[in-house]
Amino acid sequence: MADSNFIDYVKILCRSGKGGAGSRHFYRAKYVPKGGPDGGDGGRGGHIILRGNRNMWTLLPLKYRRHIFAGNGQSGSGGRSFGKDGEDVIVEVPCGTVVYDAETGEYLTEVTEDGQEVKLLKGGRGGLGNWHFKSATNRTPRYAQPGEPAIERSVVLELKLLADVGLVGFPNAGKSTLVSAVSAARPKIADYPFTTMEPQLGIVAYRDNRSFVMADIPGIIEGASEGKGLGLRFLRHIERNAVLLFMVPADADDIAEQYRILARELEQFNPQLADKPRVLAISKSDMLDDELMAEIEPTLPEGIPHIFISAVTGMGLTDLKDMLWREITAESNRIEPSPITHRPLDVHHRVAEEDEFIFTPEPIEEDPDEEFGDDGEWDDLEWEYGDEEE
């Protein structure tokens, strides 16, 4: 995956801007000896904002931009002049991006629509100037508020593809062949397992100039939900699909058992996947005759629509499109879907080579005479009130 343009997992370090300090300025003029306080407020720090972009399909730009820092707010000044706000940083991400806390694995937010903006980190508020604190009993306040500190957080961005139909099957079940047969996508096809190393999207043309999107993910093996094989890395891409198309080859020893293994892995990964509509396609059926199909039919799982197909000869592909279209446009899919309960990141979700790319910088040793007093403690006056401008 290191040389691929499709990046669906990246860890970055974000830091919002700190707020500017309020000013403790006093008005001075030739004939106004006691002009009073007029220190302005500090500007707010910049925000870190995520924005959905439907023209993006990968997190590749963030793979080489691991540190994102917003601008700091400027301090206020005399004449009630407010400090300039820090510059916001807008990070464009593909639709379907989910954000997790890199330390705890906790789900934070997600971006699902084009143009949707999510404030990931809020910039610190600017401090109030001393003119806010004047009163009848305190006409010369010699203090102002400092700005709020910046917020720093390491986050993990995961991309979960948006598609109508998700293909689920063991390696060499014919998923890539099907995608290449019904769409213009050209995934790599070979006669060895795990040929597909990254998800593929294909737009399937349907009747009356209609179409739907089909997603092919790498093959799943038993134990994928526990981190075996490549399945766990890509199982998240079918969480958003409207319909799941299970593919089992006709030459499998037990078609029903293979279907149950695949279904169990999905449910262990995310129990919500058990509620999604399903279709079972028996691939490579060109090697079967009518008599063998009749023998296999009673052994198939009950309650799941099924169809015999062959992507090589085109057998059953038109009926498969009709079946998938009915499921996609079913009344249950027209209802606004409930939000996905995103599974927190755990040790199996982690991508070690991506996580280890971030390094923790060594702390910079400050000059004790610059920020600290002789006793090694913070100078309370400077820290609490900021610099006085006169």
Side-chain angles (χ1 to χ4, degrees), residues 48-56 59 62 90-100 107-120 156-162 240 340 342:
I48 303 292
I49 300 173
L50 300 181
R51 177 191 292 167
N53 186 343
R54 65 182 178 184
N55 296 319
M56 293 181 64
L59 295 172
L62 293 177
I90 298 179
V91 182
E92 294 198 343
V93 295
C95 298
T97 300
V98 184
V99 186
Y100 299 90
Y107 162 77
L108 299 178
T109 185
E110 62 181 332
V111 180
T112 57
E113 299 178 3
D114 181 49
Q116 177 187 357
E117 292 189 355
V118 175
K119 191 179 296 182
L120 181 60
V156 169
L157 303 183
E158 276 194 350
L159 175 60
K160 298 183 179 182
L161 292 179
L162 301 174
R240 299 187 187 278
I340 299 175
H342 296 281

Side-chain angles (χ1 to χ4, degrees), residues 226-296:
E226 300 173 358
K228 296 181 181 179
L230 297 176
L232 181 68
R233 171 93 183 263
F234 302 105
L235 279 176
R236 58 177 174 270
H237 291 297
I238 61 176
E239 286 185 312
R240 299 187 187 278
N241 301 157
V243 180
L244 299 181
L245 176 58
F246 288 77
M247 293 190 63
V248 180
D251 56 355
D253 295 335
D254 190 337
I255 296 177
E257 179 61 23
Q258 286 204 9
Y259 167 80
R260 283 191 288 269
I261 293 175
L262 293 171
R264 184 167 60 248
E265 293 300 327
L266 296 187
E267 293 172 10
Q268 289 178 352
F269 176 76
N270 189 338
Q272 283 188 317
L273 294 177
D275 301 328
K276 288 187 177 293
R278 302 178 181 182
V279 174
L280 175 61
I282 295 87
S283 61
K284 306 179 183 179
S285 295
D286 52 322
M287 64 180 68
L288 303 177
D289 55 20
D290 294 340
E291 184 178 351
L292 288 175
M293 290 184 190
E295 293 180 4
I296 293 175

Side-chain angles (χ1 to χ4, degrees), residues 116-136:
Q116 177 187 357
E117 292 189 355
V118 175
K119 191 179 296 182
L120 181 60
L121 294 182
K122 186 178 180 181
R125 292 181 298 178
L128 299 178
N130 62 348
W131 72 278
H132 285 279
F133 304 104
K134 65 181 181 180
S135 65

Side-chain angles (χ1 to χ4, degrees), residues 23-26 28 142 382 385-390:
S23 173
R24 294 185 296 157
H25 192 271
F26 290 89
R28 294 291 185 268
R142 297 183 176 274
E382 294 293 336
Y385 300 137
D387 295 334
E388 179 176 359
E389 298 178 23
E390 299 194 5

Side-chain angles (χ1 to χ4, degrees), residues 47-74:
H47 305 312
I48 303 292
I49 300 173
L50 300 181
R51 177 191 292 167
N53 186 343
R54 65 182 178 184
N55 296 319
M56 293 181 64
W57 60 279
T58 174
L59 295 172
L60 180 64
L62 293 177
K63 182 178 177 65
Y64 305 102
R65 187 188 174 192
R66 296 299 187 90
H67 297 81
I68 299 177
F69 301 149
N72 295 326
Q74 295 183 358

Side-chain angles (χ1 to χ4, degrees), residues 12-38:
I12 60 176
L13 178 66
C14 299
R15 183 196 300 155
S16 63
K18 63 181 179 180
S23 173
R24 294 185 296 157
H25 192 271
F26 290 89
Y27 180 70
R28 294 291 185 268
K30 185 174 182 180
Y31 298 107
V32 187
K34 297 181 180 180
D38 69 343

